[in-house]
Amino acid sequence: MAYYYEEPSHTFAEYLLIPGYTSEDCIPDNVSLKTPVVRYNKKAGEKPSLTMNIPMVSAVMQSVSDDKLAIALAKEGGISFIFGSQTIENQAAMVARVKAYKAGFVTSDSNIRPDQTISEVVELIKATGHSTIAVTSDGSAHGKLEGIITERDYRINHVAPDAKVSDYMTPFAKLVTGNDGITLSEANDLIWAHKVNQLPIIDKNGNLVSMVFRKDFDNHQVYPNENLDAQHRYIVGAGINTRDYMERVPALLEAGVDVLCLDSSEGYSCWQGKALHDIHAKWPNAKVGAGNVVDREGFMYLAEQGADFVKIGIGGGSICITRETKGIGRGQATATIEVAKARDEYYAKTGIYIPICSDGGVVHDYHITLALAMGADFVMQGRYFARFDESPTAKLNINGSYVKEYWGEGSNRARNWQRYDLGGKKMLSFEEGVDSYVPYAGHLHDGVALTTSKIIHTMCNCGALSIPELQEKAKITLVSQTTISEGSAHDVTVRNTSIRS
């Protein structure tokens, strides 16, 4: 006989948080949104090897997560999981571009020989978009440094196109340089002390190692929550499937990926278990999340197979029609609550803390805070990030309003059959996602700043200064449909205005 749950499953929209005591210390400046990403032995005092500064990751989707969005989200303190429904080479190249984008110490991508011409300088600037060019003996990124040339060193209409770089560059003797091994802080001190815009780093033989730019220091002032690895490179994730992982994973690791995620609509399967075993056996240091699951049994299975984090949610995404087509799934709030209890049970038994990610079902910003209060360590979002300039899709004007394209991985457009793999033929039998538009929302930086501000202020209302403290102190109530209606503007005529507070 089938098992019947006595209670219906619920969504985040059916819950509210009850305020707790707010002390004088409980102010936004004191709140930390730092959260673990991968499993660690918490009981033994171990620290997680990978964390985030905000509890937000972007979905493994073609219409959401490419290298551009990964860089933008890492600047804010989160992680993007670059979509896996593309060739191994293309996905690895995206990961490599994220890791190379900014390291504090940046490998120079604009290099030229001193005997080349100003016209070649102009063409190089057009190609790279970077106006600072290292002049090395062989024109390579690590050749012997001869000088630096920038757009300010010549006037394009007053210099012969065939003029030599050596006649206009700032020669090595006049450069301020740093020695290999210098810290980023020391490099920035030199930049400011000598009032220069860049600092070439050289080895003992005078070969160029890297560059440090003043603008990167300025960027850090704008993005204080940047999520960086030990080499000051942006943290980036990538989605993988249960078919070609033995070929895809080594390419992604070689490119520098920090964390992987088995991307599937339903993760309680032998294929995910096998993939976790195979990957950890071959690459024991690789970090691999798994999912999606919606109950205790699914979590326990993936935890025992070695998942580094577990993703929760089936059918809750705005473009997902899995529940409609297959009749499987669960309300996202109920699923998060049950899996969080399983996670705590597993921790009490083993001492190992496995972070959980609530994936889908977030309609309003406060739903993120509810998910965290219910036990999630972070949330994964697709629609939210698809709205921003940095997502890879086209910005369109439809009926006078700007929108961005957004389609599900289970849609015919994505043709990502691997995400719905049940071990059969390589084909998409029917759609489990739709092709749609979402309202355009501008820059990611502005959107995430507003969202995290709401989370932080709500945590203060609950008397919590950290996510673990929120999970300990939160008081959550189930609400009626009338209460939900009461929570919106009602019994008034709302004025149309372009000014929003």
Side-chain angles (χ1 to χ4, degrees), residues 266-286:
E266 202 281 293
Y268 189 10
S269 72
C270 60
W271 294 283
Q272 286 220 3
K274 183 178 187 304
L276 287 167
H277 279 288
D278 290 346
I279 294 170
H280 283 137
K282 181 75 173 178
W283 303 281
N285 293 324

Side-chain angles (χ1 to χ4, degrees), residues 29 33 73 124 152 172 187 197 217 307 367 392 399 455 467 471:
D29 285 347
L33 294 180
L73 184 51
L124 184 57
R152 294 180 299 175
F172 179 80
N197 290 319
F217 178 84
H367 291 172
N399 297 326
I455 296 170
I467 293 172
Q471 292 165 350

Side-chain angles (χ1 to χ4, degrees), residues 2 10 39 49 54 64 79 111 172 190 272 280 293 297 389-390 397 431 455:
H10 297 284
R39 69 160 62 204
S49 60
I54 62 170
V64 178
I79 295 176
N111 310 286
F172 179 80
L190 280 175
Q272 286 220 3
H280 283 137
V293 299
E297 287 75 15
D389 283 316
E390 293 81 1
N397 189 303
E431 290 186 295
I455 296 170

Side-chain angles (χ1 to χ4, degrees), residues 130-436:
H130 298 153
S131 60
T132 299
I133 299 175
V135 184
T136 59
S137 57
D138 60 1
S140 74
H142 300 296
K144 188 175 180 64
L145 184 64
E146 303 283 350
I148 294 287
I149 188 166
T150 73
E151 288 180 312
R152 294 180 299 175
D153 292 322
Y154 59 88
R155 293 176 64 189
I156 191 64
N157 295 325
H158 294 73
V159 176
D162 59 353
K164 300 298 183 186
V165 170
S166 57
D167 294 332
Y168 290 89
M169 70 183 187
T170 301
F172 179 80
K174 294 184 178 181
L175 292 177
V176 178
T177 61
N179 295 323
D180 191 20
I182 191 174
T183 67
L184 188 59
S185 176
E186 291 168 340
N188 282 315
D189 287 343
L190 280 175
I191 286 174
W192 285 94
H194 293 276
K195 299 179 181 179
V196 294
N197 290 319
Q198 67 283 318
L199 182 76
I201 307 299
I202 58 174
D203 65 18
K204 60 183 180 181
N205 297 316
N207 296 315
L208 180 64
V209 175
S210 59
M211 302 280 284
V212 178
F213 293 94
R214 177 195 289 259
K215 66 178 178 63
D216 287 339
F217 178 84
D218 294 337
N219 280 343
H220 187 68
Q221 305 305 106
V222 178
Y223 304 105
N225 289 323
E226 285 181 311
N227 207 16
L228 306 172
D229 65 15
Q231 287 75 48
H232 300 280
R233 301 174 300 176
Y234 285 134
I235 300 292
V236 62
I240 57 175
N241 60 68
T242 55
R243 289 276 186 168
D244 65 6
Y245 57 88
M246 292 305 286
E247 294 77 40
R248 191 174 292 269
V249 169
L252 294 171
L253 292 174
E254 177 67 22
V257 76
D258 298 282
V259 59
L260 301 164
C261 180
L262 283 162
D263 180 41
S264 174
S265 65
E266 202 281 293
Y268 189 10
S269 72
C270 60
W271 294 283
Q272 286 220 3
K274 183 178 187 304
L276 287 167
H277 279 288
D278 290 346
I279 294 170
H280 283 137
K282 181 75 173 178
W283 303 281
N285 293 324
K287 305 301 181 185
V288 190
N292 286 15
V293 299
V294 292
D295 62 4
R296 177 187 180 279
E297 287 75 15
F299 171 85
M300 288 298 185
Y301 173 76
L302 292 177
E304 288 162 3
Q305 303 308 309
D308 287 290
F309 67 86
V310 173
K311 209 143 59 77
I312 309 160
I314 295 176
S318 59
I319 41 68
C320 184
I321 55 173
T322 293
R323 297 180 192 175
E324 181 180 329
T325 57
K326 295 167 70 174
I328 65 168
R330 199 175 196 188
Q332 191 66 14
T334 300
T336 300
I337 292 167
E338 181 170 324
V339 172
K341 289 178 179 177
R343 185 267 318 281
D344 293 344
E345 177 187 341
Y346 187 85
Y347 167 64
K349 178 181 177 182
T350 67
I352 304 296
Y353 186 91
I354 301 177
I356 55 175
C357 168
S358 180
D359 176 18
V362 171
V363 179
H364 303 292
D365 288 342
Y366 81 89
H367 291 172
I368 300 174
T369 318
L370 273 168
L372 299 173
M374 290 172 177
D377 295 279
F378 52 99
V379 299
M380 176 173 278
Q381 296 166 279
R383 180 193 61 84
Y384 177 91
F385 289 110
R387 304 172 303 145
F388 297 124
D389 283 316
E390 293 81 1
S391 75
T393 62
K395 175 185 171 185
L396 307 172
N397 189 303
I398 297 179
N399 297 326
S401 298
Y402 282 105
V403 298
K404 293 208 73 177
E405 296 177 297
Y406 179 47
W407 60 89
E409 288 297 291
S411 68
N412 193 52
R413 182 171 183 173
R415 290 189 171 276
N416 184 12
W417 61 268
Q418 296 98 329
R419 191 175 197 276
Y420 303 87
D421 184 19
L422 291 176
K425 295 180 179 179
K426 298 181 180 182
M427 59 183 293
L428 188 65
S429 300
F430 52 86
E431 290 186 295
E432 293 189 44
V434 299
D435 198 341
S436 65

Side-chain angles (χ1 to χ4, degrees), residues 45-179:
E46 182 179 297
K47 299 296 182 183
S49 60
L50 183 61
T51 60
M52 290 188 293
N53 295 320
I54 62 170
M56 300 169 69
V57 301
S58 68
V60 189
M61 300 177 70
Q62 295 172 11
S63 56
V64 178
S65 299
D66 66 352
D67 49 308
K68 184 178 179 182
L69 190 125
I71 291 166
L73 184 51
K75 286 180 179 180
E76 303 302 329
I79 295 176
S80 185
F81 284 87
I82 291 177
F83 70 95
S85 50
Q86 60 178 319
T87 67
I88 294 172
E89 294 75 18
N90 286 349
Q91 189 184 26
M94 285 188 180
V95 169
R97 286 197 291 272
V98 177
K99 300 306 288 188
Y101 180 80
K102 173 184 174 292
F105 299 94
V106 181
T107 299
S108 177
D109 68 351
S110 299
N111 310 286
I112 205 163
R113 298 189 313 274
D115 62 340
Q116 289 183 263
T117 64
I118 293 298
S119 64
E120 290 176 292
V121 170
V122 173
E123 290 304 312
L124 184 57
I125 290 173
K126 286 181 181 178
T128 65
H130 298 153
S131 60
T132 299
I133 299 175
V135 184
T136 59
S137 57
D138 60 1
S140 74
H142 300 296
K144 188 175 180 64
L145 184 64
E146 303 283 350
I148 294 287
I149 188 166
T150 73
E151 288 180 312
R152 294 180 299 175
D153 292 322
Y154 59 88
R155 293 176 64 189
I156 191 64
N157 295 325
H158 294 73
V159 176
D162 59 353
K164 300 298 183 186
V165 170
S166 57
D167 294 332
Y168 290 89
M169 70 183 187
T170 301
F172 179 80
K174 294 184 178 181
L175 292 177
V176 178
T177 61
N179 295 323

